[in-house]
PDB file of all heavy atoms in Angstrom:
ATOM      1  N   ALA A   1       0.255 -12.404  10.592  1.00  0.00           N
ATOM      2  CA  ALA A   1      -0.272 -11.235   9.886  1.00  0.00           C
ATOM      3  C   ALA A   1      -1.788 -11.279   9.849  1.00  0.00           C
ATOM      4  O   ALA A   1      -2.382 -12.335   9.598  1.00  0.00           O
ATOM      5  CB  ALA A   1       0.276 -11.194   8.465  1.00  0.00           C
ATOM      6  N   PHE A   2      -2.405 -10.107  10.078  1.00  0.00           N
ATOM      7  CA  PHE A   2      -3.844  -9.968   9.881  1.00  0.00           C
ATOM      8  C   PHE A   2      -4.068  -9.116   8.643  1.00  0.00           C
ATOM      9  O   PHE A   2      -3.518  -8.017   8.535  1.00  0.00           O
ATOM     10  CB  PHE A   2      -4.543  -9.331  11.083  1.00  0.00           C
ATOM     11  CG  PHE A   2      -6.020  -9.146  10.855  1.00  0.00           C
ATOM     12  CD1 PHE A   2      -6.892 -10.210  11.017  1.00  0.00           C
ATOM     13  CD2 PHE A   2      -6.534  -7.923  10.442  1.00  0.00           C
ATOM     14  CE1 PHE A   2      -8.251 -10.060  10.768  1.00  0.00           C
ATOM     15  CE2 PHE A   2      -7.883  -7.761  10.200  1.00  0.00           C
ATOM     16  CZ  PHE A   2      -8.756  -8.833  10.373  1.00  0.00           C
ATOM     17  N   MET A   3      -4.886  -9.608   7.727  1.00  0.00           N
ATOM     18  CA  MET A   3      -5.169  -8.906   6.484  1.00  0.00           C
ATOM     19  C   MET A   3      -6.542  -8.249   6.546  1.00  0.00           C
ATOM     20  O   MET A   3      -7.565  -8.949   6.552  1.00  0.00           O
ATOM     21  CB  MET A   3      -5.135  -9.891   5.309  1.00  0.00           C
ATOM     22  CG  MET A   3      -3.788 -10.549   5.103  1.00  0.00           C
ATOM     23  SD  MET A   3      -3.762 -11.697   3.697  1.00  0.00           S
ATOM     24  CE  MET A   3      -4.657 -13.090   4.395  1.00  0.00           C
ATOM     25  N   PRO A   4      -6.613  -6.912   6.586  1.00  0.00           N
ATOM     26  CA  PRO A   4      -7.920  -6.260   6.460  1.00  0.00           C
ATOM     27  C   PRO A   4      -8.540  -6.605   5.109  1.00  0.00           C
ATOM     28  O   PRO A   4      -7.838  -6.804   4.114  1.00  0.00           O
ATOM     29  CB  PRO A   4      -7.578  -4.768   6.544  1.00  0.00           C
ATOM     30  CG  PRO A   4      -6.254  -4.716   7.234  1.00  0.00           C
ATOM     31  CD  PRO A   4      -5.528  -5.945   6.810  1.00  0.00           C
ATOM     32  N   VAL A   5      -9.862  -6.675   5.080  1.00  0.00           N
ATOM     33  CA  VAL A   5     -10.564  -7.088   3.870  1.00  0.00           C
ATOM     34  C   VAL A   5     -11.029  -5.864   3.087  1.00  0.00           C
ATOM     35  O   VAL A   5     -11.791  -5.043   3.597  1.00  0.00           O
ATOM     36  CB  VAL A   5     -11.761  -7.991   4.230  1.00  0.00           C
ATOM     37  CG1 VAL A   5     -12.561  -8.352   2.979  1.00  0.00           C
ATOM     38  CG2 VAL A   5     -11.270  -9.261   4.920  1.00  0.00           C
ATOM     39  N   GLY A   6     -10.567  -5.775   1.838  1.00  0.00           N
ATOM     40  CA  GLY A   6     -11.010  -4.730   0.911  1.00  0.00           C
ATOM     41  C   GLY A   6     -11.921  -5.355  -0.128  1.00  0.00           C
ATOM     42  O   GLY A   6     -11.522  -5.537  -1.284  1.00  0.00           O
ATOM     43  N   THR A   7     -13.118  -5.690   0.262  1.00  0.00           N
ATOM     44  CA  THR A   7     -14.028  -6.488  -0.561  1.00  0.00           C
ATOM     45  C   THR A   7     -14.127  -5.975  -1.995  1.00  0.00           C
ATOM     46  O   THR A   7     -13.877  -6.701  -2.948  1.00  0.00           O
ATOM     47  CB  THR A   7     -15.429  -6.507   0.075  1.00  0.00           C
ATOM     48  OG1 THR A   7     -15.330  -7.051   1.381  1.00  0.00           O
ATOM     49  CG2 THR A   7     -16.393  -7.337  -0.760  1.00  0.00           C
ATOM     50  N   ALA A   8     -14.492  -4.728  -2.153  1.00  0.00           N
ATOM     51  CA  ALA A   8     -14.725  -4.151  -3.482  1.00  0.00           C
ATOM     52  C   ALA A   8     -13.641  -3.126  -3.809  1.00  0.00           C
ATOM     53  O   ALA A   8     -13.924  -2.023  -4.271  1.00  0.00           O
ATOM     54  CB  ALA A   8     -16.104  -3.505  -3.538  1.00  0.00           C
ATOM     55  N   ALA A   9     -12.380  -3.492  -3.564  1.00  0.00           N
ATOM     56  CA  ALA A   9     -11.219  -2.628  -3.810  1.00  0.00           C
ATOM     57  C   ALA A   9     -11.193  -1.440  -2.851  1.00  0.00           C
ATOM     58  O   ALA A   9     -10.678  -0.373  -3.179  1.00  0.00           O
ATOM     59  CB  ALA A   9     -11.171  -2.145  -5.256  1.00  0.00           C
ATOM     60  N   THR A  10     -11.732  -1.637  -1.665  1.00  0.00           N
ATOM     61  CA  THR A  10     -11.642  -0.622  -0.614  1.00  0.00           C
ATOM     62  C   THR A  10     -11.922  -1.261   0.735  1.00  0.00           C
ATOM     63  O   THR A  10     -12.817  -2.110   0.847  1.00  0.00           O
ATOM     64  CB  THR A  10     -12.643   0.533  -0.839  1.00  0.00           C
ATOM     65  OG1 THR A  10     -12.621   1.415   0.285  1.00  0.00           O
ATOM     66  CG2 THR A  10     -14.066   0.028  -1.033  1.00  0.00           C
ATOM     67  N   VAL A  11     -11.138  -0.889   1.742  1.00  0.00           N
ATOM     68  CA  VAL A  11     -11.489  -1.211   3.120  1.00  0.00           C
ATOM     69  C   VAL A  11     -12.478  -0.131   3.538  1.00  0.00           C
ATOM     70  O   VAL A  11     -12.118   1.041   3.655  1.00  0.00           O
ATOM     71  CB  VAL A  11     -10.254  -1.214   4.038  1.00  0.00           C
ATOM     72  CG1 VAL A  11     -10.663  -1.507   5.479  1.00  0.00           C
ATOM     73  CG2 VAL A  11      -9.237  -2.240   3.549  1.00  0.00           C
ATOM     74  N   LYS A  12     -13.704  -0.505   3.738  1.00  0.00           N
ATOM     75  CA  LYS A  12     -14.783   0.470   3.903  1.00  0.00           C
ATOM     76  C   LYS A  12     -14.474   1.482   5.000  1.00  0.00           C
ATOM     77  O   LYS A  12     -14.028   1.135   6.081  1.00  0.00           O
ATOM     78  CB  LYS A  12     -16.100  -0.248   4.200  1.00  0.00           C
ATOM     79  CG  LYS A  12     -16.658  -1.031   3.017  1.00  0.00           C
ATOM     80  CD  LYS A  12     -17.965  -1.717   3.370  1.00  0.00           C
ATOM     81  CE  LYS A  12     -18.605  -2.403   2.171  1.00  0.00           C
ATOM     82  NZ  LYS A  12     -17.774  -3.463   1.592  1.00  0.00           N
ATOM     83  N   ALA A  13     -14.707   2.753   4.690  1.00  0.00           N
ATOM     84  CA  ALA A  13     -14.547   3.890   5.602  1.00  0.00           C
ATOM     85  C   ALA A  13     -13.090   4.267   5.860  1.00  0.00           C
ATOM     86  O   ALA A  13     -12.819   5.111   6.712  1.00  0.00           O
ATOM     87  CB  ALA A  13     -15.265   3.664   6.937  1.00  0.00           C
ATOM     88  N   MET A  14     -12.142   3.660   5.129  1.00  0.00           N
ATOM     89  CA  MET A  14     -10.722   3.928   5.349  1.00  0.00           C
ATOM     90  C   MET A  14     -10.029   4.313   4.049  1.00  0.00           C
ATOM     91  O   MET A  14     -10.281   3.720   2.994  1.00  0.00           O
ATOM     92  CB  MET A  14     -10.035   2.681   5.914  1.00  0.00           C
ATOM     93  CG  MET A  14     -10.510   2.241   7.276  1.00  0.00           C
ATOM     94  SD  MET A  14      -9.948   3.302   8.615  1.00  0.00           S
ATOM     95  CE  MET A  14      -8.208   2.825   8.733  1.00  0.00           C
ATOM     96  N   LEU A  15      -9.114   5.297   4.129  1.00  0.00           N
ATOM     97  CA  LEU A  15      -8.194   5.561   3.027  1.00  0.00           C
ATOM     98  C   LEU A  15      -7.083   4.511   3.055  1.00  0.00           C
ATOM     99  O   LEU A  15      -6.701   4.035   4.134  1.00  0.00           O
ATOM    100  CB  LEU A  15      -7.587   6.954   3.157  1.00  0.00           C
ATOM    101  CG  LEU A  15      -8.518   8.141   2.913  1.00  0.00           C
ATOM    102  CD1 LEU A  15      -7.846   9.428   3.345  1.00  0.00           C
ATOM    103  CD2 LEU A  15      -8.916   8.212   1.444  1.00  0.00           C
ATOM    104  N   PRO A  16      -6.528   4.143   1.903  1.00  0.00           N
ATOM    105  CA  PRO A  16      -5.438   3.163   1.903  1.00  0.00           C
ATOM    106  C   PRO A  16      -4.272   3.557   2.806  1.00  0.00           C
ATOM    107  O   PRO A  16      -3.721   2.710   3.522  1.00  0.00           O
ATOM    108  CB  PRO A  16      -5.022   3.110   0.433  1.00  0.00           C
ATOM    109  CG  PRO A  16      -6.250   3.496  -0.317  1.00  0.00           C
ATOM    110  CD  PRO A  16      -6.915   4.526   0.542  1.00  0.00           C
ATOM    111  N   GLY A  17      -3.908   4.829   2.800  1.00  0.00           N
ATOM    112  CA  GLY A  17      -2.825   5.281   3.669  1.00  0.00           C
ATOM    113  C   GLY A  17      -3.156   5.117   5.140  1.00  0.00           C
ATOM    114  O   GLY A  17      -2.275   4.829   5.958  1.00  0.00           O
ATOM    115  N   SER A  18      -4.415   5.277   5.484  1.00  0.00           N
ATOM    116  CA  SER A  18      -4.841   5.092   6.869  1.00  0.00           C
ATOM    117  C   SER A  18      -4.757   3.632   7.275  1.00  0.00           C
ATOM    118  O   SER A  18      -4.374   3.304   8.405  1.00  0.00           O
ATOM    119  CB  SER A  18      -6.275   5.598   7.048  1.00  0.00           C
ATOM    120  OG  SER A  18      -6.391   6.955   6.650  1.00  0.00           O
ATOM    121  N   VAL A  19      -5.111   2.729   6.359  1.00  0.00           N
ATOM    122  CA  VAL A  19      -4.992   1.297   6.641  1.00  0.00           C
ATOM    123  C   VAL A  19      -3.529   0.945   6.896  1.00  0.00           C
ATOM    124  O   VAL A  19      -3.209   0.203   7.826  1.00  0.00           O
ATOM    125  CB  VAL A  19      -5.557   0.460   5.474  1.00  0.00           C
ATOM    126  CG1 VAL A  19      -5.359  -1.024   5.741  1.00  0.00           C
ATOM    127  CG2 VAL A  19      -7.033   0.759   5.269  1.00  0.00           C
ATOM    128  N   ARG A  20      -2.649   1.500   6.088  1.00  0.00           N
ATOM    129  CA  ARG A  20      -1.225   1.248   6.280  1.00  0.00           C
ATOM    130  C   ARG A  20      -0.751   1.787   7.631  1.00  0.00           C
ATOM    131  O   ARG A  20       0.057   1.152   8.320  1.00  0.00           O
ATOM    132  CB  ARG A  20      -0.430   1.883   5.139  1.00  0.00           C
ATOM    133  CG  ARG A  20       1.079   1.763   5.254  1.00  0.00           C
ATOM    134  CD  ARG A  20       1.528   0.321   5.273  1.00  0.00           C
ATOM    135  NE  ARG A  20       2.980   0.209   5.349  1.00  0.00           N
ATOM    136  CZ  ARG A  20       3.639  -0.822   5.828  1.00  0.00           C
ATOM    137  NH1 ARG A  20       2.986  -1.879   6.286  1.00  0.00           N
ATOM    138  NH2 ARG A  20       4.949  -0.839   5.844  1.00  0.00           N
ATOM    139  N   GLU A  21      -1.266   2.949   8.033  1.00  0.00           N
ATOM    140  CA  GLU A  21      -0.877   3.543   9.317  1.00  0.00           C
ATOM    141  C   GLU A  21      -1.266   2.661  10.501  1.00  0.00           C
ATOM    142  O   GLU A  21      -0.634   2.717  11.552  1.00  0.00           O
ATOM    143  CB  GLU A  21      -1.512   4.925   9.482  1.00  0.00           C
ATOM    144  CG  GLU A  21      -0.817   6.027   8.697  1.00  0.00           C
ATOM    145  CD  GLU A  21      -1.405   7.385   9.010  1.00  0.00           C
ATOM    146  OE1 GLU A  21      -1.563   7.718  10.212  1.00  0.00           O
ATOM    147  OE2 GLU A  21      -1.730   8.123   8.056  1.00  0.00           O
ATOM    148  N   THR A  22      -2.306   1.839  10.348  1.00  0.00           N
ATOM    149  CA  THR A  22      -2.676   0.941  11.445  1.00  0.00           C
ATOM    150  C   THR A  22      -1.641  -0.168  11.636  1.00  0.00           C
ATOM    151  O   THR A  22      -1.647  -0.841  12.657  1.00  0.00           O
ATOM    152  CB  THR A  22      -4.055   0.292  11.211  1.00  0.00           C
ATOM    153  OG1 THR A  22      -3.981  -0.623  10.107  1.00  0.00           O
ATOM    154  CG2 THR A  22      -5.133   1.340  10.969  1.00  0.00           C
ATOM    155  N   GLY A  23      -0.793  -0.380  10.623  1.00  0.00           N
ATOM    156  CA  GLY A  23       0.217  -1.422  10.707  1.00  0.00           C
ATOM    157  C   GLY A  23       0.020  -2.569   9.745  1.00  0.00           C
ATOM    158  O   GLY A  23       0.779  -3.547   9.767  1.00  0.00           O
ATOM    159  N   ALA A  24      -0.975  -2.474   8.864  1.00  0.00           N
ATOM    160  CA  ALA A  24      -1.248  -3.559   7.919  1.00  0.00           C
ATOM    161  C   ALA A  24      -0.170  -3.624   6.846  1.00  0.00           C
ATOM    162  O   ALA A  24       0.191  -2.604   6.257  1.00  0.00           O
ATOM    163  CB  ALA A  24      -2.609  -3.363   7.269  1.00  0.00           C
ATOM    164  N   ASP A  25       0.325  -4.839   6.581  1.00  0.00           N
ATOM    165  CA  ASP A  25       1.321  -5.058   5.535  1.00  0.00           C
ATOM    166  C   ASP A  25       0.693  -5.548   4.237  1.00  0.00           C
ATOM    167  O   ASP A  25       1.330  -5.510   3.186  1.00  0.00           O
ATOM    168  CB  ASP A  25       2.349  -6.104   5.987  1.00  0.00           C
ATOM    169  CG  ASP A  25       3.233  -5.630   7.121  1.00  0.00           C
ATOM    170  OD1 ASP A  25       3.434  -4.405   7.246  1.00  0.00           O
ATOM    171  OD2 ASP A  25       3.719  -6.483   7.884  1.00  0.00           O
ATOM    172  N   ILE A  26      -0.544  -6.050   4.304  1.00  0.00           N
ATOM    173  CA  ILE A  26      -1.187  -6.688   3.159  1.00  0.00           C
ATOM    174  C   ILE A  26      -2.696  -6.562   3.303  1.00  0.00           C
ATOM    175  O   ILE A  26      -3.222  -6.552   4.418  1.00  0.00           O
ATOM    176  CB  ILE A  26      -0.758  -8.175   3.061  1.00  0.00           C
ATOM    177  CG1 ILE A  26      -1.468  -8.888   1.899  1.00  0.00           C
ATOM    178  CG2 ILE A  26      -0.985  -8.912   4.385  1.00  0.00           C
ATOM    179  CD1 ILE A  26      -0.952 -10.308   1.646  1.00  0.00           C
ATOM    180  N   LEU A  27      -3.390  -6.449   2.167  1.00  0.00           N
ATOM    181  CA  LEU A  27      -4.852  -6.419   2.134  1.00  0.00           C
ATOM    182  C   LEU A  27      -5.370  -7.625   1.377  1.00  0.00           C
ATOM    183  O   LEU A  27      -4.660  -8.240   0.587  1.00  0.00           O
ATOM    184  CB  LEU A  27      -5.360  -5.156   1.418  1.00  0.00           C
ATOM    185  CG  LEU A  27      -5.033  -3.804   2.012  1.00  0.00           C
ATOM    186  CD1 LEU A  27      -5.709  -2.716   1.174  1.00  0.00           C
ATOM    187  CD2 LEU A  27      -5.487  -3.723   3.447  1.00  0.00           C
ATOM    188  N   LEU A  28      -6.650  -7.920   1.589  1.00  0.00           N
ATOM    189  CA  LEU A  28      -7.330  -8.973   0.844  1.00  0.00           C
ATOM    190  C   LEU A  28      -8.385  -8.363  -0.055  1.00  0.00           C
ATOM    191  O   LEU A  28      -9.140  -7.477   0.354  1.00  0.00           O
ATOM    192  CB  LEU A  28      -7.976  -9.983   1.803  1.00  0.00           C
ATOM    193  CG  LEU A  28      -8.692 -11.170   1.158  1.00  0.00           C
ATOM    194  CD1 LEU A  28      -8.479 -12.431   1.983  1.00  0.00           C
ATOM    195  CD2 LEU A  28     -10.199 -10.919   1.008  1.00  0.00           C
ATOM    196  N   GLY A  29      -8.439  -8.823  -1.306  1.00  0.00           N
ATOM    197  CA  GLY A  29      -9.486  -8.430  -2.241  1.00  0.00           C
ATOM    198  C   GLY A  29     -10.331  -9.634  -2.614  1.00  0.00           C
ATOM    199  O   GLY A  29      -9.853 -10.774  -2.589  1.00  0.00           O
ATOM    200  N   ASN A  30     -11.585  -9.407  -2.991  1.00  0.00           N
ATOM    201  CA  ASN A  30     -12.521 -10.497  -3.268  1.00  0.00           C
ATOM    202  C   ASN A  30     -12.743 -10.676  -4.769  1.00  0.00           C
ATOM    203  O   ASN A  30     -13.333  -9.818  -5.427  1.00  0.00           O
ATOM    204  CB  ASN A  30     -13.860 -10.243  -2.585  1.00  0.00           C
ATOM    205  CG  ASN A  30     -13.776 -10.413  -1.082  1.00  0.00           C
ATOM    206  OD1 ASN A  30     -13.887  -9.448  -0.355  1.00  0.00           O
ATOM    207  ND2 ASN A  30     -13.555 -11.632  -0.620  1.00  0.00           N
ATOM    208  N   THR A  31     -12.291 -11.796  -5.284  1.00  0.00           N
ATOM    209  CA  THR A  31     -12.427 -12.094  -6.707  1.00  0.00           C
ATOM    210  C   THR A  31     -13.882 -12.061  -7.158  1.00  0.00           C
ATOM    211  O   THR A  31     -14.216 -11.475  -8.190  1.00  0.00           O
ATOM    212  CB  THR A  31     -11.800 -13.468  -7.007  1.00  0.00           C
ATOM    213  OG1 THR A  31     -10.382 -13.354  -6.865  1.00  0.00           O
ATOM    214  CG2 THR A  31     -12.143 -13.951  -8.402  1.00  0.00           C
ATOM    215  N   TYR A  32     -14.769 -12.678  -6.386  1.00  0.00           N
ATOM    216  CA  TYR A  32     -16.184 -12.742  -6.769  1.00  0.00           C
ATOM    217  C   TYR A  32     -16.772 -11.347  -6.953  1.00  0.00           C
ATOM    218  O   TYR A  32     -17.407 -11.049  -7.976  1.00  0.00           O
ATOM    219  CB  TYR A  32     -16.958 -13.522  -5.702  1.00  0.00           C
ATOM    220  CG  TYR A  32     -18.461 -13.470  -5.829  1.00  0.00           C
ATOM    221  CD1 TYR A  32     -19.153 -14.370  -6.632  1.00  0.00           C
ATOM    222  CD2 TYR A  32     -19.202 -12.517  -5.128  1.00  0.00           C
ATOM    223  CE1 TYR A  32     -20.536 -14.331  -6.740  1.00  0.00           C
ATOM    224  CE2 TYR A  32     -20.584 -12.466  -5.228  1.00  0.00           C
ATOM    225  CZ  TYR A  32     -21.247 -13.368  -6.037  1.00  0.00           C
ATOM    226  OH  TYR A  32     -22.621 -13.309  -6.141  1.00  0.00           O
ATOM    227  N   HIS A  33     -16.569 -10.486  -5.971  1.00  0.00           N
ATOM    228  CA  HIS A  33     -17.147  -9.140  -6.047  1.00  0.00           C
ATOM    229  C   HIS A  33     -16.526  -8.329  -7.178  1.00  0.00           C
ATOM    230  O   HIS A  33     -17.231  -7.626  -7.914  1.00  0.00           O
ATOM    231  CB  HIS A  33     -16.964  -8.415  -4.711  1.00  0.00           C
ATOM    232  CG  HIS A  33     -17.810  -8.971  -3.619  1.00  0.00           C
ATOM    233  ND1 HIS A  33     -19.138  -8.659  -3.466  1.00  0.00           N
ATOM    234  CD2 HIS A  33     -17.517  -9.846  -2.624  1.00  0.00           C
ATOM    235  CE1 HIS A  33     -19.639  -9.301  -2.429  1.00  0.00           C
ATOM    236  NE2 HIS A  33     -18.673 -10.036  -1.899  1.00  0.00           N
ATOM    237  N   LEU A  34     -15.210  -8.409  -7.333  1.00  0.00           N
ATOM    238  CA  LEU A  34     -14.531  -7.596  -8.342  1.00  0.00           C
ATOM    239  C   LEU A  34     -14.808  -8.089  -9.756  1.00  0.00           C
ATOM    240  O   LEU A  34     -14.849  -7.286 -10.697  1.00  0.00           O
ATOM    241  CB  LEU A  34     -13.034  -7.574  -8.063  1.00  0.00           C
ATOM    242  CG  LEU A  34     -12.637  -6.868  -6.762  1.00  0.00           C
ATOM    243  CD1 LEU A  34     -11.162  -7.084  -6.462  1.00  0.00           C
ATOM    244  CD2 LEU A  34     -12.947  -5.376  -6.823  1.00  0.00           C
ATOM    245  N   MET A  35     -15.012  -9.392  -9.951  1.00  0.00           N
ATOM    246  CA  MET A  35     -15.327  -9.905 -11.293  1.00  0.00           C
ATOM    247  C   MET A  35     -16.718  -9.446 -11.736  1.00  0.00           C
ATOM    248  O   MET A  35     -16.972  -9.295 -12.936  1.00  0.00           O
ATOM    249  CB  MET A  35     -15.236 -11.436 -11.335  1.00  0.00           C
ATOM    250  CG  MET A  35     -16.315 -12.158 -10.576  1.00  0.00           C
ATOM    251  SD  MET A  35     -16.290 -13.979 -10.797  1.00  0.00           S
ATOM    252  CE  MET A  35     -17.144 -14.129 -12.367  1.00  0.00           C
ATOM    253  N   LEU A  36     -17.615  -9.239 -10.764  1.00  0.00           N
ATOM    254  CA  LEU A  36     -18.957  -8.777 -11.096  1.00  0.00           C
ATOM    255  C   LEU A  36     -19.017  -7.262 -11.272  1.00  0.00           C
ATOM    256  O   LEU A  36     -19.724  -6.746 -12.149  1.00  0.00           O
ATOM    257  CB  LEU A  36     -19.939  -9.200  -9.997  1.00  0.00           C
ATOM    258  CG  LEU A  36     -20.167 -10.703  -9.809  1.00  0.00           C
ATOM    259  CD1 LEU A  36     -21.133 -10.948  -8.670  1.00  0.00           C
ATOM    260  CD2 LEU A  36     -20.664 -11.348 -11.099  1.00  0.00           C
ATOM    261  N   ARG A  37     -18.254  -6.553 -10.455  1.00  0.00           N
ATOM    262  CA  ARG A  37     -18.273  -5.078 -10.501  1.00  0.00           C
ATOM    263  C   ARG A  37     -16.991  -4.549  -9.889  1.00  0.00           C
ATOM    264  O   ARG A  37     -16.724  -4.868  -8.733  1.00  0.00           O
ATOM    265  CB  ARG A  37     -19.509  -4.564  -9.729  1.00  0.00           C
ATOM    266  CG  ARG A  37     -19.723  -3.079  -9.802  1.00  0.00           C
ATOM    267  CD  ARG A  37     -21.060  -2.684  -9.178  1.00  0.00           C
ATOM    268  NE  ARG A  37     -21.179  -3.121  -7.777  1.00  0.00           N
ATOM    269  CZ  ARG A  37     -22.318  -3.139  -7.087  1.00  0.00           C
ATOM    270  NH1 ARG A  37     -23.445  -2.761  -7.670  1.00  0.00           N
ATOM    271  NH2 ARG A  37     -22.340  -3.519  -5.830  1.00  0.00           N
ATOM    272  N   PRO A  38     -16.152  -3.869 -10.655  1.00  0.00           N
ATOM    273  CA  PRO A  38     -16.374  -3.302 -11.991  1.00  0.00           C
ATOM    274  C   PRO A  38     -15.984  -4.230 -13.133  1.00  0.00           C
ATOM    275  O   PRO A  38     -16.073  -3.856 -14.288  1.00  0.00           O
ATOM    276  CB  PRO A  38     -15.452  -2.090 -11.990  1.00  0.00           C
ATOM    277  CG  PRO A  38     -14.286  -2.523 -11.173  1.00  0.00           C
ATOM    278  CD  PRO A  38     -14.872  -3.378 -10.074  1.00  0.00           C
ATOM    279  N   THR A  39     -15.527  -5.441 -12.860  1.00  0.00           N
ATOM    280  CA  THR A  39     -14.978  -6.502 -13.710  1.00  0.00           C
ATOM    281  C   THR A  39     -13.455  -6.426 -13.683  1.00  0.00           C
ATOM    282  O   THR A  39     -12.857  -5.347 -13.593  1.00  0.00           O
ATOM    283  CB  THR A  39     -15.461  -6.492 -15.175  1.00  0.00           C
ATOM    284  OG1 THR A  39     -14.812  -5.456 -15.897  1.00  0.00           O
ATOM    285  CG2 THR A  39     -16.981  -6.382 -15.256  1.00  0.00           C
ATOM    286  N   ALA A  40     -12.847  -7.610 -13.759  1.00  0.00           N
ATOM    287  CA  ALA A  40     -11.391  -7.703 -13.745  1.00  0.00           C
ATOM    288  C   ALA A  40     -10.781  -7.047 -14.973  1.00  0.00           C
ATOM    289  O   ALA A  40      -9.684  -6.476 -14.917  1.00  0.00           O
ATOM    290  CB  ALA A  40     -10.975  -9.165 -13.670  1.00  0.00           C
ATOM    291  N   GLU A  41     -11.503  -7.107 -16.108  1.00  0.00           N
ATOM    292  CA  GLU A  41     -10.992  -6.506 -17.345  1.00  0.00           C
ATOM    293  C   GLU A  41     -10.858  -4.994 -17.205  1.00  0.00           C
ATOM    294  O   GLU A  41      -9.872  -4.402 -17.671  1.00  0.00           O
ATOM    295  CB  GLU A  41     -11.918  -6.857 -18.511  1.00  0.00           C
ATOM    296  CG  GLU A  41     -11.894  -8.313 -18.929  1.00  0.00           C
ATOM    297  CD  GLU A  41     -12.657  -9.244 -17.987  1.00  0.00           C
ATOM    298  OE1 GLU A  41     -13.417  -8.735 -17.117  1.00  0.00           O
ATOM    299  OE2 GLU A  41     -12.500 -10.475 -18.112  1.00  0.00           O
TER     300      GLU A  41
END
């Protein structure tokens, strides 16, 4: 499996449905970026 990277809760320039259409089964999110902005809370 290849996981596209959604660094800040988005795969840049792509809608989530479009990412799925490429064949992706799973995405990766970045804890560091999301904890800083917008925060996990």
Side-chain angles (χ1 to χ4, degrees):
F2 178 80
M3 298 181 285
V5 176
T7 301
T10 174
V11 178
K12 290 180 175 61
M14 296 287 286
L15 290 169
S18 304
V19 177
R20 177 61 179 155
E21 282 186 49
T22 68
D25 292 334
I26 178 173
L27 298 183
L28 182 143
N30 288 111
T31 290
Y32 170 87
H33 290 279
L34 294 171
M35 70 174 279
L36 295 179
R37 185 172 57 194
T39 76
E41 290 76 12

